[in-house]
Amino acid sequence: MEIDPSEVEAYLTHLFGTDVQVLALEPIGDSGTAAVTKTDGRRRPLKMYGYGQPVLIHYQVAGQEHRAVLRTMAPSPFGHEYRADRAAGLLLSYDTFNNLPRHVHALDVGVLISGHRPLSLRHGGEFFLLTDYVEGELYARDMERLRDTGTLTDLDVRRARRLAEYLAQIHAVKSDDPALYRRRIRDLIGAGEGIMGLTDSYPPDFPLLPAGWLEQIEKACVSWRWRLNRKTHRLAQVHGDFHPFNVLFSEDVEFCLLDRSRGAWGEPGDDVSCMTMNYLFFSLQRSESLAPPFQELWDVFWNTYLEITGDQEMLSVVAPFFAWRGLVVASPMWYNIPDAVRMKVFRFIENVLREDVFDPTRVNEYIY
């Protein structure tokens, strides 16, 4: 990484609203090459090996010399694998440093853009994302129609098959990053959007659950984490939130996806459980079991995926992902469904966590 003193100078001039002269840039805690020296005044880019090393900036305003530190964050296996992780850490630092007595003050927070030019973000509020607009109908509308009418069409079957084929295709792209796989499993259990975040979202003394039930589910999932931690060879390209409300069909079997979540790489069982849990969920609303027409979609999806991938090992890792997705669809925060449906989802969660290997043909045993 190279940082150009002239770019830092322009940035500081804009930040302080007055002319700034950069006198020197030098890495802190390293014998690396300084960018500018006070003695020769020559402007040489500061060369550093990657991110994470603080840079000491010597600068001058109206003849008065000052110093500041430019800090970046390096990728690490401690929750800093993604650029979003590192951005979150630095934004939190800016938001909190100046509120604590005797803490070093944060002057600004920003981003290094092309050419490693600093750009201030301190006046920003909430971040936003701008995307394309795509025409289509949510796959969830198909689920609702099947729930309400029970009439299965050839198109329904072909769409389920196409979605399974798509997952088989993207999951074939693998990544060799054991620490990242373990991170994804850790997030499954302990992240705010994961199992513990969901269990915390249930009302205290939820009347449908016996005392301690959610605690026991958490403990069971932690045990599963230690089984899955050894499966790092499974790290693959994923969507991360592959459910019917994130799939838009335009016509026939053509579709587009919305809201990829939680990173580019993960456990394939995440995507498969996410979609198939919804087949079970809508079937429970109609029949209080996995039954036609959703039984056909469930079978087509699982059979297609396993036939293409040959990934029988998924059946020995998918249980905690089903627990996670089950806690979502059974949550009183998200869905207004009969208590009988919630109870069958809760039993499904309990029973799949007890099994070493999930059997897609035994679903109706798991809900009783």
Side-chain angles (χ1 to χ4, degrees):
M1 180 179 74
E2 290 189 353
I3 300 179
D4 190 332
S6 63
E7 297 289 0
V8 176
E9 193 169 271
Y11 157 72
L12 292 176
T13 295
H14 182 267
L15 178 66
F16 296 135
T18 188
D19 289 338
V20 172
Q21 180 186 3
V22 169
L23 305 174
L25 302 178
E26 56 182 297
I28 295 177
D30 190 89
S31 58
T33 306
V36 181
T37 67
K38 301 176 189 177
T39 54
D40 63 19
R42 294 169 58 193
R43 293 183 175 273
R44 297 187 296 271
L46 174 64
K47 296 182 179 180
M48 301 197 311
Y49 299 100
Y51 296 94
Q53 185 175 13
V55 177
L56 180 60
I57 305 171
H58 299 266
Y59 66 97
Q60 184 173 278
V61 178
Q64 183 72 35
E65 185 174 333
H66 304 271
R67 290 181 294 178
V69 179
L70 178 70
R71 304 170 185 269
T72 56
M73 188 176 288
S76 80
F78 300 103
H80 300 146
E81 289 90 346
Y82 307 131
R83 186 174 63 144
D85 300 327
R86 302 187 289 277
L90 294 170
L91 286 167
L92 187 61
S93 295
Y94 181 74
D95 288 345
T96 59
F97 274 21
N98 298 346
N99 299 328
L100 185 66
R102 306 186 67 84
H103 198 287
V104 63
H105 272 213
L107 303 176
D108 192 20
V109 64
V111 62
L112 296 175
I113 59 176
S114 59
H116 297 107
R117 291 186 293 128
L119 176 67
S120 176
L121 297 177
R122 67 174 177 162
H123 295 303
E126 294 299 319
F127 282 76
F128 63 87
L129 178 68
L130 184 68
T131 73
D132 291 332
Y133 175 78
V134 178
E135 295 279 358
E137 186 173 77
L138 289 174
Y139 189 39
R141 302 291 89 84
D142 286 1
M143 301 296 98
E144 293 163 352
R145 172 180 52 79
L146 289 167
R147 177 196 63 195
D148 297 341
T149 69
T151 302
L152 186 73
T153 68
D154 176 66
L155 179 59
D156 292 320
V157 174
R158 289 191 292 113
R159 283 183 170 179
R161 182 179 295 113
R162 180 68 191 97
L163 292 173
E165 290 169 346
Y166 170 78
L167 287 189
Q169 176 186 357
I170 68 168
H171 293 167
V173 182
K174 304 295 184 181
S175 178
D176 182 15
D177 191 339
L180 181 56
Y181 184 85
R182 289 189 289 268
R183 155 77 186 272
R184 288 303 302 265
I185 301 304
R186 184 171 72 244
D187 286 349
L188 164 69
I189 309 300
E193 292 185 342
I195 289 166
M196 290 185 179
L198 278 208
T199 56
D200 283 350
S201 75
Y202 276 70
D205 302 321
F206 186 51
L208 295 185
L209 293 176
W213 188 86
L214 290 171
E215 179 184 356
Q216 293 306 311
I217 293 302
E218 283 189 6
K219 289 179 177 179
C221 290
V222 169
S223 295
W224 271 97
R225 174 183 173 237
W226 287 98
R227 297 192 215 180
L228 269 60
N229 270 351
R230 301 189 294 270
K231 309 283 188 179
T232 58
H233 60 279
R234 295 186 52 78
L235 188 66
Q237 180 178 230
V238 293
H239 175 274
D241 209 15
F242 195 73
H243 58 67
F245 293 89
N246 279 339
V247 179
L248 277 175
F249 277 100
S250 53
E251 56 182 72
D252 199 54
V253 296
E254 291 301 313
F255 68 92
C256 183
L257 300 179
L258 307 174
D259 294 344
R260 188 183 199 186
S261 300
R262 291 172 281 277
W265 305 98
E267 163 56 51
D270 181 355
D271 287 337
V272 172
S273 64
C274 188
M275 183 58 71
T276 55
M277 185 71 222
N278 276 271
Y279 292 152
L280 174 59
F281 178 57
F282 279 95
S283 188
L284 289 173
Q285 293 174 62
R286 177 174 176 79
S287 309
E288 295 193 9
S289 66
L290 182 62
F294 293 98
Q295 174 83 59
E296 288 86 345
L297 302 185
W298 173 279
D299 291 343
V300 164
F301 194 100
W302 273 107
N303 291 339
T304 300
Y305 185 87
L306 292 176
E307 181 179 346
I308 294 173
T309 65
D311 186 12
Q312 294 294 322
E313 185 181 44
M314 178 182 289
L315 303 177
S316 65
V317 303
V318 76
F321 291 96
F322 268 131
W324 178 30
R325 299 299 175 177
L327 287 168
V328 172
V329 299
S331 170
M333 178 180 292
W334 302 114
Y335 293 98
N336 182 20
I337 53 175
D339 288 349
V341 172
R342 290 193 209 280
M343 289 305 301
K344 292 201 171 183
V345 173
F346 293 146
R347 284 194 286 270
F348 177 79
I349 292 170
E350 277 187 272
N351 288 325
V352 297
L353 289 173
R354 290 191 182 114
E355 298 280 332
D356 289 335
V357 179
F358 178 75
D359 185 347
T361 69
R362 294 178 53 213
V363 175
N364 285 327
E365 296 178 38
Y366 297 142
I367 64 175
Y368 289 104

